[in-house]
């Protein structure tokens, strides 16, 4: 985690682009920055984000696909892009639309719908993620966590915390919730990682993973239709079969993909990120040990500082939009940086400091607006239970390697720690 940055206001560099040229030519001006930026070791944030927040908050970048986008790095601009209907997710499916990765994801899911379609589909699953439903799941999450920690304690340290806890817990929970066979976890997790890649794998591998996930969920839907269970996927199959107008077959399959992938990948990475942040900040770790009632605030602060993804999903502008003195033309791709917004000095005092006593923490780790993460309550419960139980069960827990040796997977939409050796 980086030291405090004294981020000062810089001189903005307004860049106005003719809307007439938006659909036919690339913007003029300085060459776009190559994206994604090179990441420093450990959990440190790339210093380019702080530089852009201060000097060029709406910056042109060249994405791995070869298309250009406007990268937003300030809190208020990101908030606007996440909540303003002029920034569309559905438009990313249009033929010829800019895209982030080399391989297109040309299927309709909850993640790339706009209202009213998004509202219709989201309503069908939202009841499974209410505060009451999550509260009812907490004892089961605690039970799984205790079993994993007990198994970990029986091993000879060092132990890799990623397979021991960070991966197993979210996968177990989402498998039980959706009704996905736990024995398939390694297979669908491998497809999920490719599914969320930007440059880590080839275009052919991305398309193959998309097809594999679609086939897997289609087969699972068929199995639930023959032998339904007490799970979310069976309930969604029933909704489709009773009234296809409420949920179409392809929507059902890709909703299952969205819930399965997002339901474990983000939490896997966030558990690892949070543990590294605590183990490299012993003062805050000891504060949490002394005051375990701070676990909820600690989880929020660690989500703010080290969210499981740098950027939100790509948006397309439906009309000209001005942000921070820059006119973004209609039809432009926009990348709102969640991690950068979470460190904006205009929103947070001492934004790079770990502070479990912040009076307000409206971070964007789970996005904002229409596409606010439907499973955020479940993810919070898993994080609170996993982290709180881990530091209580292992009072001398520490890294088994230097922070600089921790490796982040590169070329991914989500980011965490590939391997996390710990000892005690």
């Amino acid at each position: 985690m980086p030291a405090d940055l004294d981020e000062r206001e810089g001189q903005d560099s307004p860049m106005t682009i003719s809307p007439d040229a938006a659909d036919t030519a690339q913007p003029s001006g300085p060459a776009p920055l190559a994206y994604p930026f090179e990441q420093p070791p450990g959990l440190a944030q790339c210093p380019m984000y702080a530089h852009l927040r201060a000097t060029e908050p709406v910056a042109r970048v060249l994405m791995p696909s070869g298309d250009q986008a406007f990268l937003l790095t300030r809190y208020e601009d990101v908030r606007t892009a996440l909540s303003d209907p002029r920034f569309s997710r559905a438009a990313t499916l249009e033929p010829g639309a800019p895209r982030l990765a080399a391989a297109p994801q040309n299927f309709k899911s909850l993640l790339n719908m706009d209202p009213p379609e998004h509202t219709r589909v989201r309503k069908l699953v939202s009841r499974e993620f209410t505060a009451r439903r999550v509260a009812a799941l907490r004892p089961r999450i605690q039970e799984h966590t205790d079993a994993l920690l007990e198994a970990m304690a029986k091993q000879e340290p060092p132990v890799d915390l990623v397979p021991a806890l960070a991966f197993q817990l979210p996968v177990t929970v989402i498998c039980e919730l959706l009704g996905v066979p736990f024995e398939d976890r390694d297979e669908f997790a491998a497809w999920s990682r490719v599914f969320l890649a930007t440059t880590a794998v080839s275009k052919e591998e991305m398309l193959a993973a998309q097809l594999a996930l679609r086939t897997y969920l289609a087969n699972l839907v068929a199995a639930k239709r023959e032998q339904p269970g007490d799970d979310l996927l069976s309930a969604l199959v029933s909704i489709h079969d009773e009234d296809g107008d409420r949920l179409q077959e392809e929507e059902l399959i890709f909703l299952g993909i969205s819930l399965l992938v997002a339901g474990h990948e983000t939490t896997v990475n966030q558990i690892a990120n949070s543990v590294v942040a605590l183990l490299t900040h012993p003062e805050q770790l000891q504060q949490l040990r002394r005051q375990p009632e701070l676990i909820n605030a600690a989880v929020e602060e660690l989500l703010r500082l080290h969210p499981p993804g740098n950027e939100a999903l790509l948006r397309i502008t439906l009309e000209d939009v001005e942000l921070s003195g820059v006119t973004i033309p209609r039809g432009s791709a926009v990348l709102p940086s969640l991690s950068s917004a979470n460190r904006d000095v205009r929103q947070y005092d001492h934004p790079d400091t770990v502070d479990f006593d912040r009076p307000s923490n409206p971070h964007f780790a789970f996005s904002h607006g229409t596409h606010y993460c439907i499973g955020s309550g479940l993810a919070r419960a898993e994080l609170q239970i996993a982290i709180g139980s881990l530091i209580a069960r292992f009072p001398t827990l520490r890294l088994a390697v230097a922070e600089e040796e921790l490796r982040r997977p590169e070329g991914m939409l989500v980011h965490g720690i590939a391997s996390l050796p710990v000892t005690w």
Side-chain angles (χ1 to χ4, degrees), residues 82-324:
L82 296 177
S83 57
D84 191 318
R86 293 176 296 175
F87 295 83
S88 170
R89 280 290 300 142
T92 62
L93 297 183
E94 294 296 325
R99 61 178 186 265
L100 177 61
Q105 292 188 356
N106 291 327
F107 53 81
K108 185 179 291 187
S109 75
L110 189 64
L111 298 177
N112 53 33
M113 290 178 177
D114 292 338
E117 279 188 303
H118 178 272
T119 308
R120 169 180 58 83
V121 175
R122 185 180 176 106
K123 186 177 180 180
L124 297 176
V125 296
S126 59
R127 65 182 181 181
E128 295 294 329
F129 297 96
T130 62
R132 178 179 295 182
R133 174 67 170 146
V134 170
L137 290 172
R138 289 185 73 97
R140 186 64 172 155
I141 298 171
Q142 185 69 64
E143 182 182 334
H144 287 311
T145 301
D146 291 343
L148 291 169
L149 295 180
E150 186 60 31
M152 178 175 155
K154 293 178 181 178
Q155 299 182 54
E156 185 71 24
V159 170
D160 187 345
L161 195 71
V162 172
L165 176 66
F167 174 75
Q168 294 283 3
L169 179 62
V171 167
T172 302
V173 172
I174 199 62
C175 281
E176 287 190 354
L177 183 65
L178 277 180
V180 175
F182 182 68
E183 58 269 22
D184 295 343
R185 63 193 181 280
D186 291 334
E187 192 170 32
F188 70 68
W191 295 328
S192 296
R193 283 190 290 271
V194 177
F195 186 81
L196 294 172
T198 55
T199 60
V201 298
S202 68
K203 176 180 178 179
E204 291 70 27
E205 289 173 293
M206 293 181 193
L207 293 172
Q210 291 178 28
L211 178 60
L213 274 170
R214 193 234 174 265
T215 302
Y216 178 75
L217 261 296
N219 290 338
L220 195 54
V221 163
K224 296 295 182 183
R225 190 165 276 130
E226 290 296 319
Q227 190 172 354
D230 184 20
D231 54 70
L232 178 53
L233 196 57
S234 294
L236 292 173
V237 170
S238 178
I239 290 171
H240 167 269
D241 292 352
E242 291 172 5
D243 185 357
D245 289 338
R246 294 175 67 197
L247 187 66
Q248 299 167 18
E249 185 77 9
E250 282 299 293
E251 290 176 340
L252 168 61
I253 292 169
F254 289 118
L255 180 57
I257 292 175
S258 300
L259 292 171
L260 180 60
V261 174
H264 80 276
E265 279 286 353
T266 53
T267 312
V268 169
N269 288 287
Q270 190 59 34
I271 291 174
N273 290 350
S274 299
V275 171
V276 172
L278 285 172
L279 297 185
T280 53
H281 286 77
E283 184 176 335
Q284 284 74 24
L285 175 58
Q286 291 309 312
Q287 179 189 17
L288 191 54
R289 290 192 193 282
R290 293 191 307 269
Q291 299 175 272
E293 68 274 11
L294 288 177
I295 185 61
N296 291 6
V299 163
E300 297 306 311
E301 181 70 342
L302 298 174
L303 278 164
R304 181 186 71 82
L305 280 164
H306 305 295
N310 273 331
E311 273 67 72
L313 295 173
L314 200 70
R315 266 75 172 166
I316 305 294
T317 51
L318 300 181
E319 59 184 77
D320 293 359
V321 183
E322 183 175 317
L323 294 175
S324 292

